[in-house]
Amino acid sequence: MEWAIATCALGGTLEEKLLAIAKAGFRAVEIFEEDLAGFRGTPRELKALAEDLGLRIVALQPLRDYEAMPEPHRGRNLDRAQRWFDLMEALGVELTYVCSNTSPLALDDPEQAAEDLFALAEAAAQRGLRVGYEALAWGRHVRDWPQAWEIVRRADHPHLGLVLDSFHSFVRQNPLEPIAQLPGGKIFLVQLSDAPNLLMDPLALSRHHRAMPGQGDWPVETFLQKVLATGYRGPVSLEIFNEWFRAAPPEQVAQDGLRALKHLFDRLGLLLPPLPAGSAVQGVDFLELAAEEEDLAELKDLLQALGFGLEARHPALDLFLYRAGEARLLLRLPPEEEGTREFPSVQGVGLRVGKAAPLGARARELGLSLLPRPEEGLGFPAVAGVGHTRLYLVDSLVQGAYRLDPLEKGGEEEALAVDHFTNVVPRWELYSWLLIYKALFGFQVDPAVEVFDPYGMFYSRSVRSPDGRVRIPVNTSEGIGTAVSRFLRSLGHAGIQHVAFRTQDLVAFAERAFQRGFRPLRIPASYYHALAARHGLAPEVVDLLATHQLLYDRSPEGGEFLQLYTPTFRGRFFFEVVERQGGYEAYGAANTAVRLQAQAYELASG
């Protein structure tokens, strides 16, 4: 089965798009009319360029506002179509398609629509061409594929068929089961796209939020299963409209597209050879931090205030292992060749897995970069994570693999565990990482969260392992002054901004941490007045929370969540300690705007 992608999915010139599509591994492409119109050469030169890149043009699209028009528009449309067919012949493409009419002049007349499409198909047949008909979710009269199919069936021409698009089916909540009853030979093209579950006008959702299969919330796999049950074996194409994709490097979007199709077809058992099975992620083994010499002492003081004890160090390298219960932090000085701009920062995460090798093989097949395994120091295989971070695949004991010498412990050690860590990314990378975490590790995606940053909008999608041991909010924002934007400018790329640890009793932890010299992020006093009104908390409870600068949230089921934040370290990252009670599973989204405001005050005060 041939995989294709429409040029409207990528940004750049048409030449840049085609090159990126070919480099990603696609061998077929749909040409969008606007891209053709902006091409510097002739249609024949475009055909030659595509052939040179090993790409077959499977469709020129779309032919708009054609069927069921009143005169004189109806008479002009066939002449317009002949000019369109001239373009198709010059491009060497056999298929085009008509999108259901959106013109306010269009007539609600299925019989005339069928007659118009029959005449168009007859003209196409004279040139050896074919025409598809697609129901747009915002069409004037035809909005659902069953309506479009009835018109195609009524026209009954061998050169006229149906174009099925998953987006239009899902956004209109069309039934999926009847798709399997369609004759596969009358389906001329299948287009796939996904989207998040957002309450939005279909046209706005289509233009701004379409995504690759697996990057959204819709059951694209089920849709394709029903299509294939018809016997259809023609091209499967990705048609994505999303301004964030068009602002991204076209190579990355094309790679995401191929990765999405590999994951989708593998889940259906249709990818040959199949992707390596991988290995389940069992938890977070460690976080890797790096800091320059001038920051190291202060960072060590912060870790000790949080209850981390120095457990081991490398005999030859500036590498230290700190532990607090199950939570481990590897702290290192960066090698001189790494430069200084990226430090201090969270450099990587060690994910505990059953076997690292199958996951590495799966990553390679999904087009991800595996980092070289050094002979000394950080010895685990690693996948390139967000920005310049590393996702280490840990299938052995940290201390033994890192060849660290144990040290005699001193001071108090807290019983902490890693609760979650956040990825902060540009908006377009959000979609990429949702897909990577799903395709590589089999993670699940939580519903979208949107909150106000003092200087813009904050948007988050969280992924988690099926057993909930690994949780990763993936955060982005809009606005040049937001906390996310400041972080991205400071680091120069995406990265890990925030690590949260879990304790059984956060109030007791806060009291002990204060005795060790810990000073928390200062929360505005008005928060606690609002908190009492929001949740009806007793005055003594609110006073206790305010004393320790704790944030509070409650789920509809009655679960409770407490949060304690550190100030941001050098503007790069911060830590959080949380307590979960009563099955609370979220991240305190109701407090995010308050935390962002507190961090904005922190920044303003220097």
Side-chain angles (χ1 to χ4, degrees):
M1 183 170 289
E2 196 170 31
W3 293 350
I5 187 169
T7 55
C8 59
L10 299 83
T13 65
L14 184 54
E15 294 94 331
E16 291 170 333
K17 295 181 182 191
L18 294 179
L19 180 60
I21 289 167
K23 286 179 65 177
F26 284 95
R27 292 296 171 260
V29 63
E30 287 186 69
I31 301 295
F32 200 60
E33 177 190 9
E34 281 81 352
D35 289 312
L36 172 61
F39 181 64
R40 290 181 296 180
T42 66
R44 293 191 185 280
E45 289 172 333
L46 177 56
K47 175 187 176 183
L49 173 62
E51 289 175 348
D52 288 345
L53 293 171
L55 294 171
R56 185 174 83 90
I57 303 175
V58 297
L60 173 65
Q61 59 113 333
L63 190 55
R64 296 185 177 95
D65 295 339
Y66 185 86
E67 82 289 7
M69 289 291 283
E71 295 292 357
H73 306 282
R74 187 185 191 190
R76 296 170 183 162
N77 272 346
L78 197 54
D79 290 337
R80 178 165 64 96
Q82 293 290 357
R83 306 288 76 75
W84 188 258
F85 292 157
D86 292 342
L87 290 175
M88 292 175 64
E89 288 183 334
L91 289 170
V93 58
E94 176 204 12
L95 177 67
T96 190
Y97 57 88
V98 174
C99 296
S100 60
N101 206 320
T102 62
S103 170
L105 301 176
L107 304 174
D108 187 7
D109 188 343
E111 188 64 38
Q112 181 179 323
E115 291 175 3
D116 291 343
L117 291 177
F118 180 91
L120 181 65
E122 183 65 20
Q126 300 303 314
R127 302 195 187 201
L129 307 176
R130 296 188 303 154
V131 177
Y133 185 49
E134 177 186 23
L136 293 183
W138 50 90
R140 180 72 172 172
H141 301 295
V142 177
R143 301 176 181 176
D144 303 290
W145 73 258
Q147 292 177 284
W149 167 238
E150 176 56 27
I151 291 172
V152 169
R153 188 197 63 76
R154 186 179 298 189
D156 191 23
H157 194 289
H159 283 249
L160 177 68
L162 190 65
V163 173
L164 284 176
D165 187 314
S166 63
F167 179 88
H168 299 294
S169 294
F170 286 126
V171 80
R172 291 283 299 166
Q173 299 182 344
N174 291 162
L176 298 184
E177 286 295 333
I179 292 176
Q181 306 306 314
L182 292 169
K186 292 300 288 183
I187 302 174
F188 282 5
L189 183 65
V190 172
Q191 295 176 320
L192 300 179
S193 60
D194 205 339
N197 285 329
L198 298 174
L199 294 176
M200 186 177 288
D201 173 78
L203 181 56
L205 187 67
S206 172
R207 288 292 175 261
H208 305 294
H209 294 282
R210 286 206 207 191
M212 303 293 181
Q215 292 179 333
D217 301 318
W218 290 347
V220 179
E221 181 179 328
T222 303
F223 174 87
L224 187 55
Q225 280 180 320
K226 302 306 177 185
V227 169
L228 297 180
T230 69
Y232 176 80
R233 294 297 181 268
V236 172
S237 184
L238 300 174
E239 187 190 46
I240 315 294
F241 295 95
N242 189 314
E243 67 263 34
W244 299 106
F245 286 17
R246 294 176 69 84
E251 296 81 6
Q252 180 66 55
V253 177
Q255 289 167 4
D256 280 350
L258 197 70
R259 185 177 297 128
L261 289 171
K262 282 186 175 182
H263 182 229
L264 175 62
F265 276 75
D266 187 65
R267 287 177 59 83
L268 290 171
L270 298 174
L271 186 66
L272 295 175
L275 294 174
S279 180
V281 178
Q282 302 164 357
V284 176
D285 204 286
F286 64 87
L287 276 299
E288 178 194 6
L289 282 73
E292 295 290 330
E293 189 72 53
E294 58 268 25
D295 297 318
L296 204 58
E298 188 175 343
L299 183 53
K300 288 179 179 179
D301 288 343
L302 175 59
L303 297 181
Q304 289 166 356
L306 290 171
F308 281 85
L310 179 59
E311 184 173 82
R313 68 167 297 167
H314 196 282
L317 304 177
D318 290 311
L319 179 64
F320 309 87
L321 174 62
Y322 284 80
R323 187 169 72 85
E326 298 178 14
R328 296 186 183 92
L329 294 174
L330 282 168
L331 179 60
R332 68 179 178 93
L333 282 171
E336 292 183 4
E337 63 269 17
E338 292 192 40
T340 60
R341 184 183 178 190
E342 295 189 11
F343 308 106
S345 60
V346 181
Q347 289 285 289
V349 179
L351 297 176
R352 190 163 55 252
V353 301
K355 292 184 179 180
L359 267 175
R362 185 176 180 87
R364 280 192 294 269
E365 290 301 317
L366 287 168
L368 300 172
S369 298
L370 263 71
L371 303 177
R373 184 169 181 164
E375 296 181 359
E376 292 190 15
L378 306 184
F380 297 109
V383 177
V386 294
H388 296 172
T389 63
R390 296 173 276 269
L391 296 173
Y392 294 101
L393 308 176
V394 181
D395 58 5
S396 57
L397 294 176
V398 172
Q399 190 163 307
Y402 279 73
R403 295 181 287 280
L404 302 177
D405 293 339
L407 300 173
E408 183 177 345
K409 297 179 184 178
E412 182 182 12
E413 181 184 292
E414 290 285 350
L416 301 178
V418 175
D419 187 85
H420 61 275
F421 61 93
T422 63
N423 291 171
V424 171
V425 300
R427 185 65 181 263
W428 66 267
E429 274 196 55
L430 175 72
Y431 298 93
S432 297
W433 283 97
L434 293 180
L435 175 62
I436 289 169
Y437 284 126
K438 289 173 69 174
L440 180 58
F441 298 122
F443 285 1
Q444 301 165 351
V445 181
D446 292 339
V449 172
E450 290 182 320
V451 296
F452 288 108
D453 182 286
Y455 301 103
M457 179 62 73
F458 177 92
Y459 183 84
S460 178
R461 297 297 304 265
S462 297
V463 298
R464 64 177 71 202
S465 58
D467 61 6
R469 294 183 184 181
V470 180
R471 307 166 187 249
I472 312 171
V474 186
N475 299 336
T476 189
S477 73
E478 296 178 34
I480 61 174
T482 65
V484 166
S485 297
R486 294 195 304 268
F487 171 79
L488 293 174
R489 287 197 302 272
S490 172
L491 197 62
H493 52 73
I496 298 172
Q497 185 188 30
H498 160 216
V499 179
F501 304 104
R502 186 173 59 255
T503 184
Q504 295 298 314
D505 186 340
L506 187 55
V507 171
F509 171 89
E511 291 173 347
R512 292 192 298 270
F514 182 80
Q515 295 299 319
R516 292 190 293 262
F518 174 70
R519 296 296 180 265
L521 176 70
R522 302 301 299 176
I523 305 301
S526 57
Y527 166 78
Y528 296 100
H529 296 289
L531 190 65
R534 183 189 304 167
H535 293 293
L537 298 176
E540 59 271 21
V541 174
V542 175
D543 289 344
L544 183 65
L545 295 172
T547 297
H548 298 296
Q549 298 293 282
L550 305 184
L551 300 170
Y552 174 91
D553 192 30
R554 182 189 297 155
S555 69
E557 299 77 20
E560 296 180 300
F561 190 54
L562 299 178
Q563 301 168 273
L564 175 68
Y565 286 98
T566 72
T568 305
F569 191 84
R570 300 288 191 268
R572 291 299 180 82
F573 59 85
F574 56 92
F575 298 118
E576 176 188 10
V577 185
V578 306
E579 178 186 345
R580 297 179 181 272
Q581 302 174 2
Y584 185 100
E585 290 295 327
Y587 303 92
N591 294 322
T592 301
V594 175
R595 186 259 297 172
L596 292 169
Q597 184 71 67
Q599 290 174 325
Y601 283 137
E602 172 193 55
L603 178 68
S605 63

